[in-house]
Amino acid sequence: MTGNDTDPIARRIGTQEWAEETTEIANVEIERLCNSIEVGEMVEQLSQAIYHRGIKTDVVQNTNIATLAAASVYIASKREGEPISQNKVILESHCTKRDFNTTYSHLLDKLEIEVGPTDPRVFIPRYCAKLELSETVENKAIEIIDTAEDEREDILSGKSPSGFAAASIYAASLLCNEKKTQKEVAGATGVSAATIRYRYQEQIQAIGIY
C-alpha cells in the first residue's frame, strides 16, 4: 500500500543531512516488513546495513524511507538465500511498484551488489509450507521444473523465478490430487493468478502434459 505526506516513511529523503536521521525510522519499518514476509533475522540485519549504505549515495534524492527500506529487504533476502517475490515485498510495504523497481535498480548499481538470477526451486519449500502441501507435491513441483528445463533450455529466460515456482506448485497440486486453485496459490506466494496461469501453460506444454 502507499503512504501519504503525513506518514514519516512516505517522506522523500532528499538530502544527506536528513538521510542520516531516517535510520531509526527505517529500522522499525525494516523489522515490520521482515516480520510480515516471514524472513529471518539475518535478512533483517543485512537489510539495515544495505539501507545505511544506500543513504550515503545519491539514491536518496529520488526516493523515500519506505521504498528504500523495501528495496533493501528484497536485496538482502536474495543475498541470504531466502528469496521472496517482488510483488510480495511491494504488497507488504508502503511503496509503489514503479518506485520500488527504480530504487532497487539504483541500489544494485550504486552499491555494486550482485544478486544474480534466483533458482525457482528455492521458493518451493516455503510456498508449499504456506499452502500446507505435502512433500510429495514439493518433490513433484521440483520435478516439473527439472523436466521443463530439460525439454526447453530457454524456458526460464526472462521469467520471474517466483512465478515459475508458483506455477509448478499449482501443476504439482493437480497431479498429486492435492488441488489448490490458482487464486489460492497466488494468495500464498504473492504471484498474480495471471502469471501462474501463463507459466503453468508453458510448463505443461514443455513436459508434454495437455
Side-chain angles (χ1 to χ4, degrees), residues 129-168:
K130 286 189 174 183
L131 287 160
E132 299 182 345
L133 290 167
S134 69
E135 187 176 346
T136 300
V137 174
E138 185 176 324
N139 291 336
K140 177 61 70 174
I142 293 173
E143 180 185 327
I144 289 169
I145 295 174
D146 289 342
T147 305
E149 282 193 299
D150 287 343
E151 296 298 323
R152 279 185 50 192
E153 291 183 1
D154 65 340
I155 196 167
L156 284 172
S157 179
K159 306 295 195 312
S160 161
S162 58
F164 206 82
S168 73

PDB file of all heavy atoms in Angstrom, residues 129-168:
ATOM      1  N   ALA A 129       4.885 -24.995   2.146  1.00  0.00           N
ATOM      2  CA  ALA A 129       4.570 -24.916   3.574  1.00  0.00           C
ATOM      3  C   ALA A 129       3.398 -23.968   3.815  1.00  0.00           C
ATOM      4  O   ALA A 129       2.495 -24.265   4.607  1.00  0.00           O
ATOM      5  CB  ALA A 129       5.792 -24.459   4.355  1.00  0.00           C
ATOM      6  N   LYS A 130       3.405 -22.827   3.133  1.00  0.00           N
ATOM      7  CA  LYS A 130       2.318 -21.862   3.302  1.00  0.00           C
ATOM      8  C   LYS A 130       0.994 -22.432   2.822  1.00  0.00           C
ATOM      9  O   LYS A 130      -0.071 -22.123   3.368  1.00  0.00           O
ATOM     10  CB  LYS A 130       2.638 -20.575   2.542  1.00  0.00           C
ATOM     11  CG  LYS A 130       3.692 -19.712   3.204  1.00  0.00           C
ATOM     12  CD  LYS A 130       3.806 -18.367   2.522  1.00  0.00           C
ATOM     13  CE  LYS A 130       4.746 -17.444   3.281  1.00  0.00           C
ATOM     14  NZ  LYS A 130       4.825 -16.098   2.668  1.00  0.00           N
ATOM     15  N   LEU A 131       1.053 -23.255   1.791  1.00  0.00           N
ATOM     16  CA  LEU A 131      -0.161 -23.833   1.221  1.00  0.00           C
ATOM     17  C   LEU A 131      -0.545 -25.151   1.882  1.00  0.00           C
ATOM     18  O   LEU A 131      -1.538 -25.774   1.510  1.00  0.00           O
ATOM     19  CB  LEU A 131       0.039 -24.054  -0.282  1.00  0.00           C
ATOM     20  CG  LEU A 131       0.036 -22.788  -1.131  1.00  0.00           C
ATOM     21  CD1 LEU A 131       0.718 -23.030  -2.475  1.00  0.00           C
ATOM     22  CD2 LEU A 131      -1.382 -22.286  -1.333  1.00  0.00           C
ATOM     23  N   GLU A 132       0.266 -25.583   2.876  1.00  0.00           N
ATOM     24  CA  GLU A 132       0.036 -26.839   3.592  1.00  0.00           C
ATOM     25  C   GLU A 132      -0.036 -28.023   2.631  1.00  0.00           C
ATOM     26  O   GLU A 132      -0.913 -28.887   2.738  1.00  0.00           O
ATOM     27  CB  GLU A 132      -1.230 -26.740   4.447  1.00  0.00           C
ATOM     28  CG  GLU A 132      -1.138 -25.648   5.516  1.00  0.00           C
ATOM     29  CD  GLU A 132      -2.372 -25.584   6.398  1.00  0.00           C
ATOM     30  OE1 GLU A 132      -3.409 -26.170   6.028  1.00  0.00           O
ATOM     31  OE2 GLU A 132      -2.301 -24.970   7.467  1.00  0.00           O
ATOM     32  N   LEU A 133       0.912 -28.056   1.713  1.00  0.00           N
ATOM     33  CA  LEU A 133       1.003 -29.146   0.749  1.00  0.00           C
ATOM     34  C   LEU A 133       2.069 -30.143   1.192  1.00  0.00           C
ATOM     35  O   LEU A 133       3.020 -29.797   1.896  1.00  0.00           O
ATOM     36  CB  LEU A 133       1.345 -28.589  -0.639  1.00  0.00           C
ATOM     37  CG  LEU A 133       0.217 -27.796  -1.313  1.00  0.00           C
ATOM     38  CD1 LEU A 133       0.734 -27.032  -2.520  1.00  0.00           C
ATOM     39  CD2 LEU A 133      -0.936 -28.714  -1.713  1.00  0.00           C
ATOM     40  N   SER A 134       1.921 -31.366   0.767  1.00  0.00           N
ATOM     41  CA  SER A 134       2.801 -32.445   1.217  1.00  0.00           C
ATOM     42  C   SER A 134       4.164 -32.402   0.532  1.00  0.00           C
ATOM     43  O   SER A 134       4.379 -31.692  -0.451  1.00  0.00           O
ATOM     44  CB  SER A 134       2.143 -33.798   0.928  1.00  0.00           C
ATOM     45  OG  SER A 134       2.114 -34.017  -0.484  1.00  0.00           O
ATOM     46  N   GLU A 135       5.063 -33.213   1.073  1.00  0.00           N
ATOM     47  CA  GLU A 135       6.395 -33.351   0.476  1.00  0.00           C
ATOM     48  C   GLU A 135       6.294 -33.950  -0.932  1.00  0.00           C
ATOM     49  O   GLU A 135       7.127 -33.675  -1.790  1.00  0.00           O
ATOM     50  CB  GLU A 135       7.272 -34.231   1.363  1.00  0.00           C
ATOM     51  CG  GLU A 135       8.724 -34.306   0.912  1.00  0.00           C
ATOM     52  CD  GLU A 135       9.591 -35.112   1.863  1.00  0.00           C
ATOM     53  OE1 GLU A 135       9.125 -35.387   2.991  1.00  0.00           O
ATOM     54  OE2 GLU A 135      10.717 -35.454   1.477  1.00  0.00           O
ATOM     55  N   THR A 136       5.248 -34.730  -1.157  1.00  0.00           N
ATOM     56  CA  THR A 136       5.036 -35.309  -2.486  1.00  0.00           C
ATOM     57  C   THR A 136       4.827 -34.215  -3.521  1.00  0.00           C
ATOM     58  O   THR A 136       5.391 -34.258  -4.617  1.00  0.00           O
ATOM     59  CB  THR A 136       3.810 -36.251  -2.466  1.00  0.00           C
ATOM     60  OG1 THR A 136       4.026 -37.294  -1.525  1.00  0.00           O
ATOM     61  CG2 THR A 136       3.566 -36.848  -3.847  1.00  0.00           C
ATOM     62  N   VAL A 137       4.030 -33.221  -3.155  1.00  0.00           N
ATOM     63  CA  VAL A 137       3.789 -32.097  -4.062  1.00  0.00           C
ATOM     64  C   VAL A 137       5.072 -31.295  -4.247  1.00  0.00           C
ATOM     65  O   VAL A 137       5.408 -30.868  -5.356  1.00  0.00           O
ATOM     66  CB  VAL A 137       2.663 -31.188  -3.523  1.00  0.00           C
ATOM     67  CG1 VAL A 137       2.521 -29.936  -4.388  1.00  0.00           C
ATOM     68  CG2 VAL A 137       1.346 -31.945  -3.467  1.00  0.00           C
ATOM     69  N   GLU A 138       5.787 -31.097  -3.156  1.00  0.00           N
ATOM     70  CA  GLU A 138       7.044 -30.354  -3.215  1.00  0.00           C
ATOM     71  C   GLU A 138       8.016 -31.014  -4.191  1.00  0.00           C
ATOM     72  O   GLU A 138       8.604 -30.344  -5.047  1.00  0.00           O
ATOM     73  CB  GLU A 138       7.661 -30.294  -1.813  1.00  0.00           C
ATOM     74  CG  GLU A 138       8.917 -29.455  -1.716  1.00  0.00           C
ATOM     75  CD  GLU A 138       9.425 -29.365  -0.288  1.00  0.00           C
ATOM     76  OE1 GLU A 138       8.587 -29.311   0.629  1.00  0.00           O
ATOM     77  OE2 GLU A 138      10.657 -29.343  -0.098  1.00  0.00           O
ATOM     78  N   ASN A 139       8.167 -32.326  -4.077  1.00  0.00           N
ATOM     79  CA  ASN A 139       9.076 -33.049  -4.964  1.00  0.00           C
ATOM     80  C   ASN A 139       8.588 -33.014  -6.414  1.00  0.00           C
ATOM     81  O   ASN A 139       9.402 -32.904  -7.344  1.00  0.00           O
ATOM     82  CB  ASN A 139       9.221 -34.503  -4.503  1.00  0.00           C
ATOM     83  CG  ASN A 139       9.967 -34.622  -3.189  1.00  0.00           C
ATOM     84  OD1 ASN A 139      10.746 -33.748  -2.828  1.00  0.00           O
ATOM     85  ND2 ASN A 139       9.725 -35.700  -2.455  1.00  0.00           N
ATOM     86  N   LYS A 140       7.283 -33.118  -6.605  1.00  0.00           N
ATOM     87  CA  LYS A 140       6.724 -33.086  -7.962  1.00  0.00           C
ATOM     88  C   LYS A 140       6.930 -31.712  -8.603  1.00  0.00           C
ATOM     89  O   LYS A 140       7.234 -31.625  -9.809  1.00  0.00           O
ATOM     90  CB  LYS A 140       5.236 -33.438  -7.929  1.00  0.00           C
ATOM     91  CG  LYS A 140       4.527 -33.366  -9.279  1.00  0.00           C
ATOM     92  CD  LYS A 140       5.117 -34.327 -10.288  1.00  0.00           C
ATOM     93  CE  LYS A 140       4.810 -35.754  -9.959  1.00  0.00           C
ATOM     94  NZ  LYS A 140       5.253 -36.705 -11.029  1.00  0.00           N
ATOM     95  N   ALA A 141       6.795 -30.660  -7.818  1.00  0.00           N
ATOM     96  CA  ALA A 141       6.996 -29.304  -8.349  1.00  0.00           C
ATOM     97  C   ALA A 141       8.438 -29.125  -8.837  1.00  0.00           C
ATOM     98  O   ALA A 141       8.682 -28.546  -9.911  1.00  0.00           O
ATOM     99  CB  ALA A 141       6.667 -28.266  -7.284  1.00  0.00           C
ATOM    100  N   ILE A 142       9.383 -29.629  -8.064  1.00  0.00           N
ATOM    101  CA  ILE A 142      10.793 -29.556  -8.467  1.00  0.00           C
ATOM    102  C   ILE A 142      11.032 -30.402  -9.718  1.00  0.00           C
ATOM    103  O   ILE A 142      11.752 -30.003 -10.632  1.00  0.00           O
ATOM    104  CB  ILE A 142      11.700 -30.011  -7.314  1.00  0.00           C
ATOM    105  CG1 ILE A 142      11.616 -29.005  -6.159  1.00  0.00           C
ATOM    106  CG2 ILE A 142      13.151 -30.159  -7.785  1.00  0.00           C
ATOM    107  CD1 ILE A 142      12.341 -29.423  -4.903  1.00  0.00           C
ATOM    108  N   GLU A 143      10.378 -31.558  -9.766  1.00  0.00           N
ATOM    109  CA  GLU A 143      10.499 -32.438 -10.936  1.00  0.00           C
ATOM    110  C   GLU A 143       9.961 -31.738 -12.192  1.00  0.00           C
ATOM    111  O   GLU A 143      10.548 -31.859 -13.282  1.00  0.00           O
ATOM    112  CB  GLU A 143       9.727 -33.732 -10.688  1.00  0.00           C
ATOM    113  CG  GLU A 143       9.777 -34.719 -11.845  1.00  0.00           C
ATOM    114  CD  GLU A 143       8.891 -35.941 -11.598  1.00  0.00           C
ATOM    115  OE1 GLU A 143       8.756 -36.341 -10.420  1.00  0.00           O
ATOM    116  OE2 GLU A 143       8.338 -36.463 -12.575  1.00  0.00           O
ATOM    117  N   ILE A 144       8.870 -31.003 -12.038  1.00  0.00           N
ATOM    118  CA  ILE A 144       8.290 -30.274 -13.178  1.00  0.00           C
ATOM    119  C   ILE A 144       9.272 -29.237 -13.702  1.00  0.00           C
ATOM    120  O   ILE A 144       9.473 -29.097 -14.917  1.00  0.00           O
ATOM    121  CB  ILE A 144       6.960 -29.611 -12.769  1.00  0.00           C
ATOM    122  CG1 ILE A 144       5.880 -30.673 -12.581  1.00  0.00           C
ATOM    123  CG2 ILE A 144       6.513 -28.577 -13.814  1.00  0.00           C
ATOM    124  CD1 ILE A 144       4.610 -30.161 -11.929  1.00  0.00           C
ATOM    125  N   ILE A 145       9.905 -28.501 -12.799  1.00  0.00           N
ATOM    126  CA  ILE A 145      10.896 -27.503 -13.210  1.00  0.00           C
ATOM    127  C   ILE A 145      12.071 -28.179 -13.903  1.00  0.00           C
ATOM    128  O   ILE A 145      12.532 -27.728 -14.967  1.00  0.00           O
ATOM    129  CB  ILE A 145      11.382 -26.686 -11.998  1.00  0.00           C
ATOM    130  CG1 ILE A 145      10.230 -25.860 -11.419  1.00  0.00           C
ATOM    131  CG2 ILE A 145      12.535 -25.760 -12.401  1.00  0.00           C
ATOM    132  CD1 ILE A 145      10.569 -25.130 -10.133  1.00  0.00           C
ATOM    133  N   ASP A 146      12.567 -29.284 -13.314  1.00  0.00           N
ATOM    134  CA  ASP A 146      13.693 -30.013 -13.903  1.00  0.00           C
ATOM    135  C   ASP A 146      13.360 -30.478 -15.322  1.00  0.00           C
ATOM    136  O   ASP A 146      14.154 -30.292 -16.262  1.00  0.00           O
ATOM    137  CB  ASP A 146      14.048 -31.239 -13.051  1.00  0.00           C
ATOM    138  CG  ASP A 146      14.688 -30.870 -11.717  1.00  0.00           C
ATOM    139  OD1 ASP A 146      15.160 -29.724 -11.589  1.00  0.00           O
ATOM    140  OD2 ASP A 146      14.696 -31.729 -10.814  1.00  0.00           O
ATOM    141  N   THR A 147      12.186 -31.073 -15.469  1.00  0.00           N
ATOM    142  CA  THR A 147      11.784 -31.618 -16.770  1.00  0.00           C
ATOM    143  C   THR A 147      11.574 -30.509 -17.795  1.00  0.00           C
ATOM    144  O   THR A 147      11.989 -30.637 -18.951  1.00  0.00           O
ATOM    145  CB  THR A 147      10.495 -32.450 -16.634  1.00  0.00           C
ATOM    146  OG1 THR A 147      10.672 -33.452 -15.641  1.00  0.00           O
ATOM    147  CG2 THR A 147      10.130 -33.099 -17.959  1.00  0.00           C
ATOM    148  N   ALA A 148      10.940 -29.427 -17.366  1.00  0.00           N
ATOM    149  CA  ALA A 148      10.697 -28.302 -18.276  1.00  0.00           C
ATOM    150  C   ALA A 148      12.013 -27.725 -18.787  1.00  0.00           C
ATOM    151  O   ALA A 148      12.151 -27.405 -19.976  1.00  0.00           O
ATOM    152  CB  ALA A 148       9.883 -27.227 -17.570  1.00  0.00           C
ATOM    153  N   GLU A 149      12.998 -27.622 -17.898  1.00  0.00           N
ATOM    154  CA  GLU A 149      14.314 -27.109 -18.299  1.00  0.00           C
ATOM    155  C   GLU A 149      15.026 -28.079 -19.229  1.00  0.00           C
ATOM    156  O   GLU A 149      15.724 -27.662 -20.165  1.00  0.00           O
ATOM    157  CB  GLU A 149      15.175 -26.834 -17.073  1.00  0.00           C
ATOM    158  CG  GLU A 149      14.845 -25.551 -16.354  1.00  0.00           C
ATOM    159  CD  GLU A 149      15.901 -25.176 -15.349  1.00  0.00           C
ATOM    160  OE1 GLU A 149      16.131 -25.965 -14.412  1.00  0.00           O
ATOM    161  OE2 GLU A 149      16.500 -24.098 -15.493  1.00  0.00           O
ATOM    162  N   ASP A 150      14.875 -29.370 -18.986  1.00  0.00           N
ATOM    163  CA  ASP A 150      15.492 -30.367 -19.855  1.00  0.00           C
ATOM    164  C   ASP A 150      14.917 -30.301 -21.273  1.00  0.00           C
ATOM    165  O   ASP A 150      15.644 -30.470 -22.258  1.00  0.00           O
ATOM    166  CB  ASP A 150      15.283 -31.782 -19.293  1.00  0.00           C
ATOM    167  CG  ASP A 150      16.137 -32.048 -18.060  1.00  0.00           C
ATOM    168  OD1 ASP A 150      17.103 -31.294 -17.838  1.00  0.00           O
ATOM    169  OD2 ASP A 150      15.809 -32.997 -17.313  1.00  0.00           O
ATOM    170  N   GLU A 151      13.620 -30.061 -21.338  1.00  0.00           N
ATOM    171  CA  GLU A 151      12.945 -30.028 -22.636  1.00  0.00           C
ATOM    172  C   GLU A 151      13.154 -28.710 -23.374  1.00  0.00           C
ATOM    173  O   GLU A 151      13.224 -28.684 -24.602  1.00  0.00           O
ATOM    174  CB  GLU A 151      11.441 -30.288 -22.450  1.00  0.00           C
ATOM    175  CG  GLU A 151      11.104 -31.667 -21.919  1.00  0.00           C
ATOM    176  CD  GLU A 151      11.560 -32.775 -22.859  1.00  0.00           C
ATOM    177  OE1 GLU A 151      11.463 -32.578 -24.092  1.00  0.00           O
ATOM    178  OE2 GLU A 151      12.029 -33.819 -22.358  1.00  0.00           O
ATOM    179  N   ARG A 152      13.244 -27.635 -22.618  1.00  0.00           N
ATOM    180  CA  ARG A 152      13.435 -26.305 -23.221  1.00  0.00           C
ATOM    181  C   ARG A 152      14.442 -25.514 -22.399  1.00  0.00           C
ATOM    182  O   ARG A 152      14.121 -24.993 -21.334  1.00  0.00           O
ATOM    183  CB  ARG A 152      12.107 -25.537 -23.268  1.00  0.00           C
ATOM    184  CG  ARG A 152      11.198 -25.892 -24.423  1.00  0.00           C
ATOM    185  CD  ARG A 152       9.974 -24.994 -24.439  1.00  0.00           C
ATOM    186  NE  ARG A 152      10.330 -23.580 -24.343  1.00  0.00           N
ATOM    187  CZ  ARG A 152       9.453 -22.603 -24.110  1.00  0.00           C
ATOM    188  NH1 ARG A 152       8.180 -22.896 -23.931  1.00  0.00           N
ATOM    189  NH2 ARG A 152       9.842 -21.349 -24.045  1.00  0.00           N
ATOM    190  N   GLU A 153      15.663 -25.436 -22.877  1.00  0.00           N
ATOM    191  CA  GLU A 153      16.739 -24.807 -22.113  1.00  0.00           C
ATOM    192  C   GLU A 153      16.473 -23.340 -21.811  1.00  0.00           C
ATOM    193  O   GLU A 153      16.940 -22.802 -20.810  1.00  0.00           O
ATOM    194  CB  GLU A 153      18.061 -24.935 -22.879  1.00  0.00           C
ATOM    195  CG  GLU A 153      18.585 -26.358 -22.965  1.00  0.00           C
ATOM    196  CD  GLU A 153      19.924 -26.425 -23.653  1.00  0.00           C
ATOM    197  OE1 GLU A 153      20.444 -25.347 -24.033  1.00  0.00           O
ATOM    198  OE2 GLU A 153      20.467 -27.535 -23.819  1.00  0.00           O
ATOM    199  N   ASP A 154      15.708 -22.667 -22.675  1.00  0.00           N
ATOM    200  CA  ASP A 154      15.463 -21.227 -22.520  1.00  0.00           C
ATOM    201  C   ASP A 154      14.156 -20.924 -21.803  1.00  0.00           C
ATOM    202  O   ASP A 154      13.736 -19.773 -21.756  1.00  0.00           O
ATOM    203  CB  ASP A 154      15.445 -20.551 -23.890  1.00  0.00           C
ATOM    204  CG  ASP A 154      14.283 -21.029 -24.771  1.00  0.00           C
ATOM    205  OD1 ASP A 154      13.736 -22.122 -24.487  1.00  0.00           O
ATOM    206  OD2 ASP A 154      13.932 -20.313 -25.727  1.00  0.00           O
ATOM    207  N   ILE A 155      13.527 -21.930 -21.224  1.00  0.00           N
ATOM    208  CA  ILE A 155      12.182 -21.720 -20.681  1.00  0.00           C
ATOM    209  C   ILE A 155      12.163 -20.735 -19.513  1.00  0.00           C
ATOM    210  O   ILE A 155      11.158 -20.071 -19.261  1.00  0.00           O
ATOM    211  CB  ILE A 155      11.533 -23.057 -20.257  1.00  0.00           C
ATOM    212  CG1 ILE A 155      10.017 -22.869 -20.074  1.00  0.00           C
ATOM    213  CG2 ILE A 155      12.186 -23.618 -18.992  1.00  0.00           C
ATOM    214  CD1 ILE A 155       9.244 -24.162 -19.963  1.00  0.00           C
ATOM    215  N   LEU A 156      13.285 -20.600 -18.795  1.00  0.00           N
ATOM    216  CA  LEU A 156      13.342 -19.668 -17.665  1.00  0.00           C
ATOM    217  C   LEU A 156      13.814 -18.274 -18.074  1.00  0.00           C
ATOM    218  O   LEU A 156      13.752 -17.343 -17.267  1.00  0.00           O
ATOM    219  CB  LEU A 156      14.277 -20.205 -16.579  1.00  0.00           C
ATOM    220  CG  LEU A 156      13.723 -21.334 -15.711  1.00  0.00           C
ATOM    221  CD1 LEU A 156      14.810 -21.892 -14.818  1.00  0.00           C
ATOM    222  CD2 LEU A 156      12.555 -20.842 -14.884  1.00  0.00           C
ATOM    223  N   SER A 157      14.267 -18.140 -19.306  1.00  0.00           N
ATOM    224  CA  SER A 157      14.811 -16.863 -19.761  1.00  0.00           C
ATOM    225  C   SER A 157      13.770 -15.750 -19.682  1.00  0.00           C
ATOM    226  O   SER A 157      12.689 -15.842 -20.275  1.00  0.00           O
ATOM    227  CB  SER A 157      15.314 -16.995 -21.198  1.00  0.00           C
ATOM    228  OG  SER A 157      15.833 -15.770 -21.664  1.00  0.00           O
ATOM    229  N   GLY A 158      14.096 -14.700 -18.926  1.00  0.00           N
ATOM    230  CA  GLY A 158      13.201 -13.553 -18.807  1.00  0.00           C
ATOM    231  C   GLY A 158      11.991 -13.777 -17.934  1.00  0.00           C
ATOM    232  O   GLY A 158      11.123 -12.917 -17.832  1.00  0.00           O
ATOM    233  N   LYS A 159      11.916 -14.938 -17.274  1.00  0.00           N
ATOM    234  CA  LYS A 159      10.756 -15.252 -16.433  1.00  0.00           C
ATOM    235  C   LYS A 159      11.056 -14.945 -14.963  1.00  0.00           C
ATOM    236  O   LYS A 159      12.184 -15.055 -14.506  1.00  0.00           O
ATOM    237  CB  LYS A 159      10.403 -16.741 -16.548  1.00  0.00           C
ATOM    238  CG  LYS A 159      10.184 -17.263 -17.955  1.00  0.00           C
ATOM    239  CD  LYS A 159       8.981 -16.647 -18.622  1.00  0.00           C
ATOM    240  CE  LYS A 159       8.544 -17.419 -19.864  1.00  0.00           C
ATOM    241  NZ  LYS A 159       9.611 -17.757 -20.806  1.00  0.00           N
ATOM    242  N   SER A 160      10.018 -14.572 -14.242  1.00  0.00           N
ATOM    243  CA  SER A 160      10.146 -14.395 -12.799  1.00  0.00           C
ATOM    244  C   SER A 160      10.316 -15.765 -12.156  1.00  0.00           C
ATOM    245  O   SER A 160       9.465 -16.650 -12.340  1.00  0.00           O
ATOM    246  CB  SER A 160       8.900 -13.713 -12.237  1.00  0.00           C
ATOM    247  OG  SER A 160       8.797 -13.906 -10.847  1.00  0.00           O
ATOM    248  N   PRO A 161      11.394 -15.996 -11.383  1.00  0.00           N
ATOM    249  CA  PRO A 161      11.588 -17.305 -10.754  1.00  0.00           C
ATOM    250  C   PRO A 161      10.479 -17.641  -9.762  1.00  0.00           C
ATOM    251  O   PRO A 161      10.082 -18.801  -9.633  1.00  0.00           O
ATOM    252  CB  PRO A 161      12.946 -17.180 -10.070  1.00  0.00           C
ATOM    253  CG  PRO A 161      13.212 -15.727  -9.961  1.00  0.00           C
ATOM    254  CD  PRO A 161      12.531 -15.092 -11.124  1.00  0.00           C
ATOM    255  N   SER A 162       9.969 -16.626  -9.054  1.00  0.00           N
ATOM    256  CA  SER A 162       8.888 -16.891  -8.106  1.00  0.00           C
ATOM    257  C   SER A 162       7.613 -17.297  -8.840  1.00  0.00           C
ATOM    258  O   SER A 162       6.870 -18.168  -8.389  1.00  0.00           O
ATOM    259  CB  SER A 162       8.629 -15.665  -7.228  1.00  0.00           C
ATOM    260  OG  SER A 162       8.312 -14.532  -8.019  1.00  0.00           O
ATOM    261  N   GLY A 163       7.364 -16.668  -9.987  1.00  0.00           N
ATOM    262  CA  GLY A 163       6.195 -17.021 -10.790  1.00  0.00           C
ATOM    263  C   GLY A 163       6.301 -18.424 -11.350  1.00  0.00           C
ATOM    264  O   GLY A 163       5.316 -19.179 -11.385  1.00  0.00           O
ATOM    265  N   PHE A 164       7.512 -18.791 -11.773  1.00  0.00           N
ATOM    266  CA  PHE A 164       7.727 -20.126 -12.320  1.00  0.00           C
ATOM    267  C   PHE A 164       7.543 -21.175 -11.233  1.00  0.00           C
ATOM    268  O   PHE A 164       6.954 -22.236 -11.470  1.00  0.00           O
ATOM    269  CB  PHE A 164       9.130 -20.212 -12.918  1.00  0.00           C
ATOM    270  CG  PHE A 164       9.263 -21.232 -14.008  1.00  0.00           C
ATOM    271  CD1 PHE A 164       8.871 -20.949 -15.305  1.00  0.00           C
ATOM    272  CD2 PHE A 164       9.779 -22.489 -13.743  1.00  0.00           C
ATOM    273  CE1 PHE A 164       8.985 -21.883 -16.317  1.00  0.00           C
ATOM    274  CE2 PHE A 164       9.898 -23.443 -14.741  1.00  0.00           C
ATOM    275  CZ  PHE A 164       9.506 -23.142 -16.036  1.00  0.00           C
ATOM    276  N   ALA A 165       8.030 -20.872 -10.034  1.00  0.00           N
ATOM    277  CA  ALA A 165       7.876 -21.795  -8.918  1.00  0.00           C
ATOM    278  C   ALA A 165       6.408 -21.954  -8.534  1.00  0.00           C
ATOM    279  O   ALA A 165       5.930 -23.076  -8.305  1.00  0.00           O
ATOM    280  CB  ALA A 165       8.678 -21.289  -7.720  1.00  0.00           C
ATOM    281  N   ALA A 166       5.691 -20.836  -8.463  1.00  0.00           N
ATOM    282  CA  ALA A 166       4.277 -20.888  -8.085  1.00  0.00           C
ATOM    283  C   ALA A 166       3.472 -21.727  -9.079  1.00  0.00           C
ATOM    284  O   ALA A 166       2.605 -22.516  -8.692  1.00  0.00           O
ATOM    285  CB  ALA A 166       3.714 -19.466  -8.011  1.00  0.00           C
ATOM    286  N   ALA A 167       3.777 -21.574 -10.362  1.00  0.00           N
ATOM    287  CA  ALA A 167       3.063 -22.330 -11.388  1.00  0.00           C
ATOM    288  C   ALA A 167       3.357 -23.826 -11.277  1.00  0.00           C
ATOM    289  O   ALA A 167       2.459 -24.663 -11.448  1.00  0.00           O
ATOM    290  CB  ALA A 167       3.453 -21.820 -12.777  1.00  0.00           C
ATOM    291  N   SER A 168       4.613 -24.156 -10.966  1.00  0.00           N
ATOM    292  CA  SER A 168       4.962 -25.575 -10.845  1.00  0.00           C
ATOM    293  C   SER A 168       4.262 -26.208  -9.647  1.00  0.00           C
ATOM    294  O   SER A 168       3.877 -27.384  -9.691  1.00  0.00           O
ATOM    295  CB  SER A 168       6.483 -25.746 -10.731  1.00  0.00           C
ATOM    296  OG  SER A 168       6.958 -25.329  -9.463  1.00  0.00           O
TER     297      SER A 168
END
